[in-house]
């Protein structure tokens, strides 16, 4: 049966970070978009900080305690995914997805921190780290997408749609009780505020070129 697994803040964070990262990466190709590139970095930092907070106090399947990273569990899941065996239907994040999430959260912090170090203090090592971390993030995202496709096929469940609607296959007692719309509204305000500042008041963030 279909149950509600992903709350609104979790879904909003997921797609907002994906779009912010994509836009930041593309805007790095032109000096004309440098303000947006740096501003989106600040937004990504704010999004990750919110996710860290939400990972501690959010709904059941959004909490970090529900998807602790495990090398053994990830290996077993990958082995089953690539075999002809039936793949289990984890209610929350699967073991490979858990590693992708933790890795990307760390990489985003490295990207933002190294970019800040290079821009504010002209630390050349910061630029090198910034580029490498950004490219590594693209690799992780690609592997994550491949994992989502394979898992969706093997589980016969569209995991991309699940992160849009919040619904997955599961038993009734695994469903979350609230979608936390108020927190989602709060996150939307954060996102819109950052976008407004970047577009009209970049100096508030020290974004002056």
């Amino acid at each position: 049966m279909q149950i509600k697994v992903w709350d609104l803040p979790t879904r909003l964070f997921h797609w907002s970070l994906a779009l912010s990262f994509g836009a930041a990466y593309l805007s790095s190709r032109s000096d004309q978009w440098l303000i947006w590139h740096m501003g989106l970095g600040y937004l990504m930092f704010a999004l990750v900080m919110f996710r860290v907070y939400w990972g501690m106090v959010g709904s059941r399947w959004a909490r970090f305690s529900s998807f602790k990273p495990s090398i053994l569990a990830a290996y077993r899941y990958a082995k089953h995914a690539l075999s002809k065996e039936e793949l289990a239907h984890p209610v929350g994040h699967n073991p490979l997805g858990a590693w992708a999430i933790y890795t990307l959260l760390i990489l985003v912090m490295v990207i933002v921190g190294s970019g800040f170090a290079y821009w504010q203090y002209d630390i050349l090592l910061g630029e090198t780290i910034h580029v490498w971390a950004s490219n590594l993030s693209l690799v992780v995202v690609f592997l994550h997408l491949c994992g989502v496709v394979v898992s969706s096929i093997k589980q016969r469940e569209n995991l991309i749609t699940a992160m849009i609607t919040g619904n997955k296959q599961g038993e009734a007692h695994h469903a979350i009780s609230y979608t936390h719309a108020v927190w989602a509204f709060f996150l939307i305000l954060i996102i819109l505020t950052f976008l407004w500042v970047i577009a009209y008041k970049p100096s508030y963030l020290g974004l002056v070129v």
Side-chain angles (χ1 to χ4, degrees):
M1 63 178 296
Q2 290 287 309
I3 61 171
K4 186 67 68 178
V5 171
W6 304 124
D7 57 49
L8 280 171
T10 299
R11 286 178 274 155
L12 182 59
F13 160 80
H14 180 277
W15 296 112
S16 297
L17 185 65
L19 290 173
S20 297
F21 176 79
Y25 193 89
L26 292 175
S27 61
S28 67
R29 303 306 181 188
S30 172
D31 290 340
Q32 180 181 357
W33 296 100
L34 187 58
I35 290 293
W36 276 95
H37 177 71
M38 295 186 294
L40 288 168
Y42 280 106
L43 174 57
M44 289 165 60
F45 175 79
L47 288 171
V48 170
M49 288 297 96
F50 176 86
R51 186 62 182 91
V52 170
Y53 172 75
W54 198 243
M56 295 183 289
V57 303
S59 60
R60 179 178 180 180
W61 304 110
R63 295 189 182 188
F64 296 133
S65 58
S66 72
F67 56 102
K68 297 178 181 179
S70 169
I71 295 178
L72 181 59
Y75 169 75
R76 288 175 175 171
Y77 187 85
K79 183 179 179 180
H80 289 159
L82 297 175
S83 70
K84 295 183 179 180
E85 299 177 22
E86 183 179 351
L87 195 61
H89 288 252
V91 180
H93 294 294
N94 65 55
L96 287 178
W99 276 105
I101 292 169
Y102 286 110
T103 302
L104 287 172
L105 289 179
I106 293 172
L107 283 174
V108 168
M109 298 306 293
V110 172
I111 291 170
V112 174
S114 58
F116 182 83
Y118 173 66
W119 177 254
Q120 293 293 333
Y121 303 104
D122 199 27
I123 300 176
L124 294 180
L125 180 60
E127 181 183 23
T128 301
I129 294 175
H130 187 71
V131 173
W132 276 92
S134 298
N135 291 331
L136 181 57
S137 295
L138 282 179
V139 174
V140 175
V141 169
F142 174 75
L143 293 175
H144 176 56
L145 290 175
C146 289
V148 168
V149 171
V150 172
S151 295
S152 295
I153 294 174
K154 292 296 291 289
Q155 295 177 196
R156 297 180 181 178
E157 178 179 30
N158 192 321
L159 298 181
I160 296 178
T161 300
M163 190 52 73
I164 296 175
T165 64
N167 299 324
K168 290 188 67 179
Q169 296 179 26
E171 299 178 5
H173 66 277
H174 285 148
I176 59 175
S177 302
Y178 305 100
T179 57
H180 297 282
V182 173
W183 279 102
F185 177 74
F186 175 70
L187 183 55
I188 290 174
L189 286 180
I190 292 177
I191 295 170
L192 292 178
T193 298
F194 267 92
L195 293 178
W196 181 84
V197 170
I198 296 169
Y200 299 105
K201 300 292 183 179
S203 60
Y204 287 3
L205 295 174
L207 303 178
V208 179
V209 295

